Amino acid sequence: MSAHVIADDAEALAVARALADEFRPGADERDRERRLPRAELDRLSASGLLAVTVPAEHGGADVGAATLAEIFRLLAAADGSLAQIPQSHFVYVNVIRRQGTEQQRKFFFAELLAGRRFGNAQSEAGTRHVQDIRTRLTLRPDGSYLLTGVKHYSTGALFADWIGVLARAESDDLHVAYVPRDAPGVTVVDDWDGMGQRTTASGTVRLTDVEVPADRVLPHHLTFQGPQLHGAVAQLLHAAIDAGLAAGALAQAAEFVRTTSRPWFESGVDTAAEDPLIIQRFGELGVETRASQALLREAAWAVEDAKADLTDDSAAEASLAVAAAKAHAARTAVDVANALFELAGTRSALNSLNLNRHWRDARTHTLHDPARWKIQHIGRHVLSGTRPPRHGLL
């Protein structure tokens, strides 16, 4: 596989805009037919966008957090499923940046620049909570490992060249094992049955005595022993997806009202787009959508500031800024997608139009982690200056 190498932030944004325009027309059909976006992901890989966080010393553009967030917002506004697939890709690239040895970074960054994709095998079902990880890495006499477990919600794994697997070693410490998608003992099952984000293939990964060389295992537990931005960056991308979902739903609602909706007979106007009550509601939704985008930019700047001077306080500020952006964008995405039907009228509820795709995608994605806990951490900080925890989900 070969891929274009993007030079800088400006080129990355230009490529993202072009791909979003390319992906938007087919999003409805892909969702309706649950046609997995293999061709679109190949285009994404070939474009170089999946390697934009590779450090400059390894040949990458090393784009800033604001650029990365905007890439995801643009893609999500076009196709909420497609934008979700590379989120974990960048999360597991970030693990390599922080915890990889020089040899590991050199190898995997070269893979990224060649267009290789990372998927995730992180979450597990039936455990006590989301951080109860039972997948095990067992050390062998030669220093390599055997990897065994079952993962769910494994977005991107079906399309991946490498799967980042979250597992516990015999010490019970968390590690990430990077295994080839086609390695013996790895089975990826396309059993995702979500009402939304239908084409993410967020299914099951089964790992049965998978042999993993020592140099493909990274000590993820070390990430959380000091100030870190792992969780802030991961959640920033989720916030960007929600902001994009809101923007996409608002744009489609406006298009439908302009071209298809009829005015209410009491309004005294010729078109629905001239109805002052509809105009008012679009204005309100426009304000909320812009607010989500503004909070997203502010959060990205906080991440950049913390990267430049990483301390307990700067890392906490980045996490809190991202938490605020995520909580607002999650609410806005669902509200805008819901209001689409209120504004567009009865015909918009027809299954044949598939306008419910926006609501299904927003409602599904915003379940990823509860915004109410983000609000709790913000509230504690406002009241008592308590820093948020370093658990990687904030």
Side-chain angles (χ1 to χ4, degrees), residues 18 24 35 88 110 149 161 179 193 216 222 234 243 263 315 317 329 340 371 383:
R24 185 176 293 105
R35 178 169 60 79
S88 55
D161 298 289
V179 299
D193 191 32
R216 297 293 180 262
L222 297 180
E317 177 54 34
L340 184 156
L383 282 170

Side-chain angles (χ1 to χ4, degrees), residues 316-332:
E317 177 54 34
S319 287
L320 291 166
V322 171
K326 178 66 170 67
H328 192 280
R331 184 188 67 201
T332 302

Side-chain angles (χ1 to χ4, degrees), residues 65-141:
T67 295
L68 189 61
E70 181 64 2
I71 289 169
F72 273 82
R73 192 192 70 82
L74 290 166
L75 293 175
D79 185 336
S81 283
L82 187 56
Q84 177 63 28
I85 294 170
Q87 189 273 342
S88 55
H89 168 95
F90 284 99
V91 169
Y92 283 99
V93 171
N94 213 23
V95 173
I96 295 167
R97 288 193 64 151
R98 184 170 177 89
Q99 298 302 339
T101 64
E102 181 58 30
Q103 183 179 6
Q104 288 169 329
R105 289 195 292 267
K106 182 177 180 180
F107 173 80
F108 280 117
F109 291 155
E111 288 285 279
L112 289 164
L113 290 170
R116 305 285 191 271
R117 293 193 290 265
F118 288 178
N120 95 87
Q122 177 169 301
S123 295
E124 300 180 12
T127 57
R128 290 182 300 121
H129 50 70
V130 70
Q131 291 201 324
D132 182 14
I133 302 297
R134 301 181 182 179
T135 299
R136 308 303 298 191
L137 274 168
T138 303
L139 185 64
R140 306 171 78 191

